[in-house]
Amino acid sequence: MQFLTSLLLLAASAEAHYHFPRLIVKGQPEAADWQTVRQTKNYQTNAGVTSVTSPDMRCYQMKGASSHATVAAGEELGFVAASAVTHFGPVQFYMARVPDNADISTWDPAGNVWFKAGSISAIPPYGSGESTWPAYNKKSVSFTIPKNTPSGKYLVRVESIALHQAQSVGGAQIYLSCAQIEVTDGGNGTPGPLVAFPGAYQATDPGLRWSYYPIPTSYTAPGPAVWTG
C-alpha cells in the first residue's frame, strides 16, 4: 500500500511539472518531439533544475537534436509546453551564436555566449495567479527574434522559473530546453550583454524568490536586460 501511494505521489508530481520538446515556427508546432530541440534529461520525469550552479542550467540536455529550424530575424518563435506551464513565474528566452566552424548539434554553449532575447515577466498588481504571470498555464510560449540579430546558427534557450516553492533560497525550479535554429535575413546588431550558464544567476537573486505573505510590491526577473536589437 505504501509503495502504491509513493507511485501515485510520484505520478502526480511529474504531471504538475513540464518540459519544452517542440518549436513553433510560423505559427505551426513541429510534428514530433525533439526534432530541433535538444532532448532534456527530464523528458520522462519533467523534474526541474534546482541548483543555479549546475551545468544543467545550460541546456539540461541528454543529447543533441538531429536538425535545426530556419527562422527569419523579426519573426516570432515559440515553444510547446508539455503539457502546460503549470507553475507561476517568469519565462525567459536566451540565444547563443554557434561558431561558424562548429556543429550545431554538438556545440557546447559554455562561457559568456548567451544574450537575453525575450522575457515574459510579472505584471502588477502582484500575486500568484495568471493576471500577474502571463505565461502561467499556457500550452506554449513565444518571443520575437530581434530584427537586428545577425544571420547565422544559434541555440535558443527557453526557461520557466517556477516560484511556487521559492519562499527560501534554493526553492526555485527551472524548466528549460535548448533549440537549434538558423536565423536568416538578419541585421548587423551586436547582441549583449553576454552571460554564462551556470554563472548568470545566483541562488540569492531576488528574482529567484517569492513571498506569498507579505505580497511583493515589485518583481524583476533574474539575468541581464533583454537585448531588443
Side-chain angles (χ1 to χ4, degrees):
M1 183 65 179
Q2 184 177 3
F3 177 71
L4 178 59
T5 301
S6 298
L7 284 178
L8 290 173
L9 288 173
L10 180 62
S13 176
E15 182 66 24
H17 300 329
Y18 44 98
H19 57 273
F20 299 96
R22 304 186 192 192
L23 281 181
I24 302 172
V25 180
K26 298 185 184 301
Q28 295 298 315
E30 292 176 319
D33 292 350
W34 317 119
Q35 290 184 324
T36 61
V37 179
R38 295 183 172 187
Q39 189 172 42
T40 51
K41 293 178 180 178
N42 69 339
Y43 80 103
Q44 289 180 314
T45 68
N46 286 344
V49 178
T50 56
S51 171
V52 296
T53 62
S54 168
D56 284 337
M57 280 292 291
R58 203 167 295 148
C59 284
Y60 204 11
Q61 77 180 59
M62 186 176 72
K63 62 180 180 180
S66 59
S67 61
H68 66 270
T70 301
V71 189
E75 287 188 342
E76 185 177 48
L77 179 67
F79 286 80
V80 171
S83 58
V85 179
T86 53
H87 297 309
F88 71 86
V91 171
Q92 306 197 100
F93 305 89
Y94 288 82
M95 297 178 65
R97 176 74 181 267
V98 179
D100 292 340
N101 61 350
D103 183 341
I104 193 173
S105 296
T106 59
W107 181 63
D108 180 18
N112 294 322
V113 296
W114 297 97
F115 66 94
K116 188 187 288 187
S119 182
I120 307 172
S121 194
I123 299 172
Y126 295 101
S128 56
E130 295 177 25
S131 60
T132 297
W133 304 101
Y136 187 20
N137 285 324
K138 295 296 189 294
K139 294 185 179 297
S140 66
V141 292
S142 63
F143 75 109
T144 298
I145 294 177
K147 183 64 178 175
N148 283 328
T149 302
S151 297
K153 293 181 179 177
Y154 290 81
L155 295 185
V156 182
R157 177 183 177 276
V158 59
E159 66 172 19
S160 170
I161 301 175
L163 297 175
H164 61 295
Q165 294 181 343
Q167 295 77 56
S168 59
V169 172
Q173 301 169 7
I174 296 94
Y175 301 87
L176 66 142
S177 292
C178 288
Q180 302 172 175
I181 71 166
E182 182 171 6
V183 173
T184 60
D185 302 323
N188 58 0
T190 305
L194 300 179
V195 298
F197 288 105
Y201 302 164
Q202 303 299 318
T204 53
D205 286 349
L208 297 175
R209 299 281 303 278
W210 185 256
S211 170
Y212 288 99
Y213 184 84
I215 297 173
T217 57
S218 64
Y219 177 82
T220 300
V226 173
W227 183 74
T228 60

